Amino acid sequence: MKATLMELIKDRLTIEEACEMAGIQLGKGRGNTRTARCPLHDDASPSFIIYLDSNRWRCFSGCGHGDAIDLLSRVYDIPISQTLHRIANDLGITTSEQQESDRQKQRIEKQRQERQKAQADKEFESAVTKAVHFLKSLSDELDKPIRACTTPWQVEKYADYIHLTAKIERILDDLVSGERQIRENGLLAARRVLFIVKEARGKQRDIDKTKTA
Ligand SMILES: [Zn+2]
């Protein structure tokens, strides 16, 4: 797991450096503390203190307390996320680790998208194969009574069949023609035909039922 920008900065930015970046004049202080005029309010006497060991600050006049990043966010008056980028810039943190982390996230996302696309392609091809199979067998079925006709007026009865067969031929052409968009449209058309045929067969079954009843 790569470090976040926040973690990188917390590792490297001391409270003293933060004060320097914020233009805070530090007094001498004692031990691990330094005092200064608070940058967050109009401070006549030093009520601002930093703790060198914990890298934190506090204002005794009510401005609160926090770490180096909080301090710069408040002095600059910008959100933490912007502050992090500004600090990284100012400190010359190359953020190569951060960039590497971003690149890795992008790689993972790209792989995920590729897998998703491969899966979608697979499903599409499978749907096309089924549609082609269905349309071919339907076309054969429609063709049978037409071929059995011996006179032109018999064929005339099957005008709808002939019309549908021609339509099926066009859809089959589209499905195997190669261009993705055309094939997708072909698949939609095939599904409409399947729907119509199912409806028609359902009606036919109902008619057959009433006949046998
Ligand atoms: Zn203050």
Side-chain angles (χ1 to χ4, degrees):
M1 190 68 189
K2 296 281 180 186
T4 63
L5 190 55
M6 169 88 81
E7 286 163 346
L8 285 173
I9 287 171
K10 275 191 173 170
D11 273 356
R12 296 185 207 178
L13 177 67
T14 67
I15 190 71
E16 262 184 309
E17 284 172 320
C19 287
E20 196 185 316
M21 287 163 77
I24 299 166
Q25 299 283 328
L26 291 173
K28 280 185 180 159
R30 269 182 296 175
N32 274 326
T33 62
R34 299 283 182 274
T35 54
R37 288 188 178 178
C38 178
L40 303 173
H41 79 275
D42 190 9
D43 197 9
S45 63
S47 44
F48 183 83
I49 186 167
I50 62 169
Y51 305 93
L52 302 180
D53 49 355
S54 61
N55 276 317
R56 294 184 70 81
W57 61 272
R58 176 179 292 277
C59 167
F60 290 103
S61 294
C63 298
H65 56 92
D67 64 11
I69 296 166
D70 296 326
L71 177 63
L72 289 176
S73 169
R74 288 184 59 181
V75 171
Y76 295 155
D77 195 21
I78 53 176
I80 294 287
S81 58
Q82 279 179 37
T83 308
L84 291 174
H85 284 105
R86 183 158 165 184
I87 296 168
N89 218 24
D90 289 353
L91 282 186
I93 292 177
T94 57
T95 64
S96 63
E97 290 169 59
Q98 178 62 26
Q99 283 165 3
E100 178 54 36
S101 162
D102 288 347
R103 270 197 294 272
Q104 196 171 346
K105 276 183 202 150
Q106 281 166 7
R107 266 199 300 276
I108 291 168
E109 175 59 16
K110 197 169 168 232
Q111 283 167 358
R112 193 188 65 78
Q113 284 173 358
E114 278 168 3
R115 270 199 305 275
Q116 215 170 36
K117 190 181 176 298
Q119 181 62 27
D121 284 350
K122 205 175 139 188
E123 282 167 13
F124 176 72
E125 290 305 331
S126 155
V128 166
T129 304
K130 275 184 197 159
V132 167
H133 183 78
F134 158 72
L135 290 175
K136 279 185 175 164
S137 67
L138 179 62
S139 185
D140 285 348
E141 207 180 309
L142 294 171
D143 217 26
K144 268 180 215 159
I146 300 168
R147 269 183 295 161
C149 293
T150 48
T151 60
W153 53 91
Q154 281 179 314
V155 174
E156 227 161 89
K157 283 197 295 184
Y158 297 106
D160 285 351
Y161 282 25
I162 292 164
H163 179 75
L164 187 53
T165 306
K167 191 181 162 95
I168 288 170
E169 287 306 317
R170 280 198 302 276
I171 298 171
L172 281 169
D173 276 350
D174 286 350
L175 281 174
V176 294
S177 77
E179 260 186 66
R180 177 66 184 236
Q181 191 55 53
I182 291 172
R183 301 181 75 208
E184 279 176 9
N185 291 341
L187 195 54
L188 289 176
R191 282 178 178 151
R192 278 196 294 276
V193 172
L194 175 63
F195 179 75
I196 291 164
V197 169
K198 269 186 175 169
E199 289 263 287
R201 282 179 181 159
K203 275 180 199 154
Q204 189 59 47
R205 261 197 302 279
D206 290 345
I207 293 166
D208 293 346
K209 264 186 218 158
T210 51
K211 275 181 190 163
T212 51

